[in-house]
Amino acid sequence: MTTRTPSYEQNVPDTVYGYVSARSQGGVPMTEAASPTSALPFHAEPDVRQQAEEHARQAGLTVTAESMLGFAVAGTPAAFEQLTTGRIVSYEVEQRVEMGRRRAVTHLDIVGDRQPSALGIGTAPGEPSIEAVALEEPRVPMRLLPATARPPLVASFHLTLPDDVSRLLNATPAHERGHVGRGVRVAMVDTGQAPHAYFTTHGYDVTPTVSVAPGTRPDEDPVGHGTGESANIFAVAPGARLLPYRASGPNGRLTAATAGFMRAKAEQPQVLTNSWGGQVGFPEDGPLAQTDRVWALEILDAVEQGIVVVFAAGNGHFSIEPQVPGVLSAGGVFSDPQGRLRASDYTSGYASPWFAGVVVPTVSGLVGLAPLAQYLMLPIPPGCSIDVDESAEGDGTAVDDGWALFSGSSAAAPQIAGAAALLLEARPGLRPDQVAEALAMTATDVTTGKNAFDIPARRGPDEATGAGLVNVSAALDFVLTHDH
């Protein structure tokens, strides 16, 4: 089980992010949806949502995103305490974080005589329009002055974008036939999207970033994760339109991921890719946490709206996001200098204990190997955290050159999102399950190597790589020749 160390008020931030569940039409609270298979019964009536939002605003909270189930909020601890009549406290959880390290991560809870015992969950006593108040859990990116458009030369084996990724995922033949994902709207929720000469030189279509964290600049990416990983979308779908959402606070931490996801969902993109997730203990032998039930329903709602939702499987992480039914979960396959394939020992894979028949990952993209997965040369803001950290770890780049070697399932997710964009350009009416079917039925089987949980790859679909490495041109032929 996860170790929790109480720390009470000393680590409570000035701005807290959360989610308010409006009372549903079906009468069953989102927090009681043990293994939800549909979000429809949890939709709330418009007048109920409006009443709940007004109550939250009167408490001093800012509504940052809305859905048919509830809404994301941000505000001071005092505002949350006024809404719930409880008290915001913090506790520390040791977790696997960036670059495979482990450290204590601060989580928040609502306590009080009229508050539930479930961690991160509160109520609003006396307000019938509100079912629950869920505090945002920290998410971890799954990786463990514009710069020059050309990457530096480094001695270690690595892949360059777009050419190597396009070739190894067999997207190049599709591009030569004119299939580039032209105009398909791909939303990406991450740490941000900063200007970089790499994107402008290639003529990629990047719309202005939307920031959902109050007080942050939309044109900055302090970590560099979102900027770098987004290049993977264009390696597979150079004609796609990227809609970036910054869900990070001033320090670059993903403190508003729920709000970012909901804001992106509301804009109805065709694809919504997410290279991050929460973390619980593995293997998990208890019931699904109430905060995860609420969050899973918001994700499920996006799938039911026809959005192809992609989540990274994790880098030794075990999280709810890739397990939600209908989500395209992205694992990792390593291709060596000779083109031989094996499961990446850096990425996660497992059978879901909560959703029958769900195996993570669905399919895999290109990912490096443990301990650091320094595999893809990606463009990032000069001097950002990744620029400094990866250089210090010996990736061969400078600390401020705007380039770094990294990967992880964070890279696989946008690669698969790009593949989905190509299929949706060719067949715009495809449902999320049809996109997943095409990618899985045509993936290249991988039969060697083990994943981060020491699960071996074998012939056919497995928990190491899912159906295997995505084969873009084969998937394209599949959707063009099969009736749906």
Side-chain angles (χ1 to χ4, degrees):
M1 299 297 291
T2 303
T3 301
R4 300 179 175 92
T5 303
S7 57
Y8 306 105
E9 287 86 355
Q10 65 262 36
N11 288 333
V12 175
D14 294 335
T15 301
V16 175
Y17 298 89
Y19 175 87
V20 177
S21 166
R23 191 161 301 281
S24 66
Q25 303 174 35
V28 177
M30 294 171 69
T31 53
E32 295 180 11
S35 297
T37 57
S38 174
L40 293 175
F42 301 91
H43 287 189
E45 295 285 358
D47 60 333
V48 174
R49 295 201 307 271
Q50 183 177 356
Q51 182 179 343
E53 287 186 28
E54 181 59 29
H55 196 71
R57 288 191 177 99
Q58 288 177 357
L61 294 171
T62 299
V63 175
T64 56
E66 305 172 61
S67 77
M68 291 180 284
L69 297 90
F71 48 96
V73 291
T76 63
F80 277 90
E81 290 170 354
Q82 181 171 332
L83 178 67
T84 64
T85 70
R87 183 164 54 95
I88 304 292
V89 299
S90 64
Y91 61 95
E92 302 299 303
V93 179
E94 184 178 305
Q95 289 184 340
R96 185 184 180 101
V97 293
E98 301 86 352
M99 300 178 70
R101 298 188 178 100
R102 297 189 70 84
R103 62 174 168 80
V105 178
T106 300
H107 289 58
L108 301 179
D109 191 20
I110 304 172
V111 300
D113 293 339
R114 306 175 72 183
Q115 298 302 314
S117 60
L119 289 168
I121 291 288
T123 60
E127 179 45 55
S129 64
I130 294 177
E131 285 182 339
V133 179
L135 300 183
E136 178 104 4
E137 291 189 353
R139 263 73 181 197
V140 181
M142 297 303 183
R143 68 150 184 105
L144 290 171
L145 302 171
T148 173
R150 297 183 63 84
L153 297 175
V154 300
S156 60
F157 171 67
H158 65 277
L159 304 182
T160 59
L161 278 72
D163 295 345
D164 287 343
V165 169
S166 174
R167 173 177 55 84
L168 290 169
L169 295 181
N170 199 29
T172 304
H175 298 166
E176 293 171 346
R177 292 160 54 191
H179 296 283
V180 293
R182 185 171 290 105
V184 176
R185 300 166 71 241
V186 180
M188 185 170 185
V189 179
D190 214 288
T191 58
Q193 181 75 25
H196 195 289
Y198 174 83
F199 298 96
T200 54
T201 299
H202 284 85
Y204 295 143
D205 187 356
V206 182
T207 65
T209 303
V210 174
S211 180
V212 297
T216 58
R217 289 183 51 174
D219 59 345
E220 290 184 346
D221 181 4
V223 173
H225 187 264
T227 303
E229 300 297 10
S230 71
N232 287 281
I233 297 171
F234 294 115
V236 182
R241 165 166 282 196
L242 173 62
L243 285 65
Y245 292 81
R246 177 178 175 178
S248 66
N251 60 3
R253 297 273 176 85
L254 284 170
T255 53
T258 300
F261 183 91
M262 293 175 63
R263 184 74 172 271
K265 177 174 68 169
E267 296 298 324
Q268 286 290 299
Q270 287 136 294
V271 184
L272 174 47
T273 184
N274 310 270
S275 294
W276 44 268
Q279 185 178 0
V280 293
F282 179 81
E284 179 61 43
D285 56 2
L288 189 61
Q290 290 188 3
T291 52
D292 286 337
R293 297 178 192 184
V294 172
W295 178 215
L297 283 165
E298 279 291 348
I299 298 171
L300 189 56
D301 179 59
V303 175
E304 292 181 333
Q305 290 184 38
I307 301 171
V308 176
V309 177
V310 184
F311 267 98
N315 305 328
H317 306 83
F318 176 72
S319 53
I320 183 60
E321 291 87 355
Q323 300 181 51
V324 175
V327 164
L328 252 173
S329 54
V333 167
F334 177 76
S335 177
D336 70 12
Q338 288 74 43
R340 294 171 300 206
L341 304 179
R342 58 172 154 155
S344 169
D345 60 355
Y346 195 72
T347 58
S348 303
Y350 47 84
S352 172
W354 297 307
F355 299 99
V358 171
V359 173
V360 175
T362 310
V363 288
S364 291
L366 294 162
V367 177
L369 300 175
L372 297 176
Q374 292 180 329
Y375 188 46
L376 305 176
M377 183 63 76
L378 299 175
I380 51 178
C384 68
S385 297
I386 290 180
D387 206 358
V388 174
D389 292 345
E390 297 292 348
S391 177
E393 293 288 350
D395 74 344
T397 67
V399 297
D400 58 356
D401 61 359
W403 291 91
L405 281 180
F406 60 109
S407 60
S409 57
S410 276
Q415 291 167 18
I416 290 167
L422 253 70
L423 304 189
L424 289 168
E425 177 200 24
R427 294 289 298 271
L430 291 174
R431 301 188 307 268
D433 63 306
Q434 293 171 329
V435 172
E437 178 192 25
L439 293 175
M441 291 293 291
T442 58
T444 302
D445 194 16
V446 177
T447 59
T448 61
K450 297 181 179 181
N451 70 5
F453 294 147
D454 209 34
I455 298 174
R458 60 182 185 274
R459 189 174 300 279
D462 53 51
E463 297 168 16
T465 67
L469 182 65
V470 163
N471 183 326
V472 175
S473 292
L476 178 63
D477 290 339
F478 184 92
V479 301
L480 290 175
T481 56
H482 285 70
D483 292 329
H484 289 94

